[in-house]
């Protein structure tokens, strides 16, 4: 699980592994419609005992772009073999510091050196094959702003082909507003520019998640027309910031019914009601207010 997510610090919410029934519904009803599928969002896929079966199903599904995000702490030689047998097209490693101290502080004591060693082992065993392409994913915050260029260098040294940066989202209850970086500030622009230049010099890609903070309303939303998030219990959410106490439906009801249902039609029309948290959306508020991830 991600140590920076409210849902992981909420004792009232019990994480569980996705059932075979839920995964089967996703495989048969969502995979055929998808251009891109990621097998993790805000949780650690390597912790799932069915990881290998899920990855194999995704590999054989015909989905063009298959993504996986991991914090790397559970990578083993056995899991590396599974990943190479059924490779996602992209595998992103969450790296939030250029040194062990910073990464460990942000990632709840995670061992950066071990993660890098296993990443290099994966790259070495992949050999001349293209997939999975390795990328670093960094959650930008005050603690690592001045390490961005060094994180890019670390990515290159580990065999990554890209380094991506996503600004920290301040979820309610985590008290992280003071760690949020104003990406429009001169300080941030300078550090991001250094990182981008370093990536260019090293021949790897650098990505900063799209900044759309100049919006005056919540639309056009980048998620409602082409993206869906599904929890282990099958609950469906329109975006990663949604109040998870109030899903728009469940995959077990039938994906088409939910995707074309009244809740989605209402949201796509721009009509918001309580407890929608669209007006708290970090992509609308420039991450200046806490996002209510869950409602008791």
């Amino acid at each position: 699980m991600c140590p920076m997510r409210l849902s992981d610090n909420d004792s009232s919410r019990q994480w569980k592994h996705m059932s075979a029934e839920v995964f089967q519904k996703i495989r048969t009803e969502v995979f055929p419609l998808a251009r891109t599928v990621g097998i993790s969002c805000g949780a650690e896929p390597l912790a799932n005992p069915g990881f290998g079966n899920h990855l194999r199903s995704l590999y054989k599904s015909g989905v063009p772009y298959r993504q996986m995000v991991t914090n790397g702490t559970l990578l083993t030689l056995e899991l590396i073999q599974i990943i190479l047998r059924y490779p996602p097209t992209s595998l992103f490693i969450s790296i939030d510091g250029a040194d062990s101290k910073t990464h460990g502080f942000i990632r709840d004591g995670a061992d950066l050196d071990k993660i890098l060693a296993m990443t290099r082992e994966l790259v070495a065993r992949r050999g001349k094959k293209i997939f999975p392409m390795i990328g670093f994913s960094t959650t930008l915050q005050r603690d690592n702003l001045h390490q961005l260029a060094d994180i890019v260098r670390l990515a290159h040294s580990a065999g990554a082909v890209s380094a991506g940066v996503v600004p920290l989202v301040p979820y309610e209850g985590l008290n992280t507003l003071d760690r949020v970086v104003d990406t429009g500030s001169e300080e941030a622009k300078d550090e991001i520019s250094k990182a981008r230049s370093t990536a260019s010099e090293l021949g790897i890609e650098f990505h900063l998640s799209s900044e759309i903070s100049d919006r005056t309303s919540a639309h056009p939303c980048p998620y409602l027309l082409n993206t869906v998030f599904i929890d282990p219990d099958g609950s469906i959410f329109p975006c990663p910031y949604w109040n998870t106490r109030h899903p728009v439906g469940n995959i077990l009801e039938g994906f088409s019914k939910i995707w074309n249902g009244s809740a989605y039609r209402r949201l796509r029309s721009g009509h918001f009601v309580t407890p929608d948290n669209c007006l708290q959306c970090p992509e609308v508020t420039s991450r200046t207010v806490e996002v209510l991830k869950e409602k008791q």
Side-chain angles (χ1 to χ4, degrees), residues 23-34 250-257:
F23 185 79
Q24 177 67 8
K25 290 286 283 188
I26 295 172
R27 188 184 70 80
T28 58
E29 298 186 18
V30 181
F31 283 5
L33 303 174
N250 191 288
I251 187 71
L252 297 178
E253 304 170 42
F255 179 70
S256 178
K257 177 182 177 181

Side-chain angles (χ1 to χ4, degrees), residues 155-270:
H156 178 259
S157 73
V161 298
S162 67
V165 175
V166 180
L168 176 69
V169 174
Y171 289 115
E172 185 174 297
L174 292 185
N175 301 315
T176 56
L177 268 177
D178 61 343
R179 294 165 62 182
V180 173
V181 172
D182 176 5
T183 55
S185 68
E186 291 304 314
E187 179 188 23
K189 288 180 180 178
D190 183 55
E191 295 299 330
I192 291 168
S193 177
K194 290 177 183 177
R196 183 174 282 114
S197 295
T198 299
S200 179
E201 292 169 4
L202 295 174
I204 69 174
E205 296 183 16
F206 179 83
H207 304 284
L208 176 67
S209 66
S210 58
E211 289 298 306
I212 45 180
S213 56
D214 58 343
R215 291 179 181 174
T216 56
S217 70
H219 280 276
C221 174
Y223 297 105
L224 286 173
L225 297 179
N226 55 25
T227 306
V228 65
F229 294 80
I230 305 176
D231 251 13
D233 67 358
S235 295
I236 294 176
F237 309 104
C239 80
Y241 316 120
W242 194 257
N243 185 333
T244 53
R245 296 287 184 189
H246 300 275
V248 295
N250 191 288
I251 187 71
L252 297 178
E253 304 170 42
F255 179 70
S256 178
K257 177 182 177 181
I258 304 302
W259 184 252
N260 298 304
S262 59
Y264 262 112
R265 290 200 303 271
R266 175 178 62 75
L267 290 167
R268 290 173 186 141
S269 72

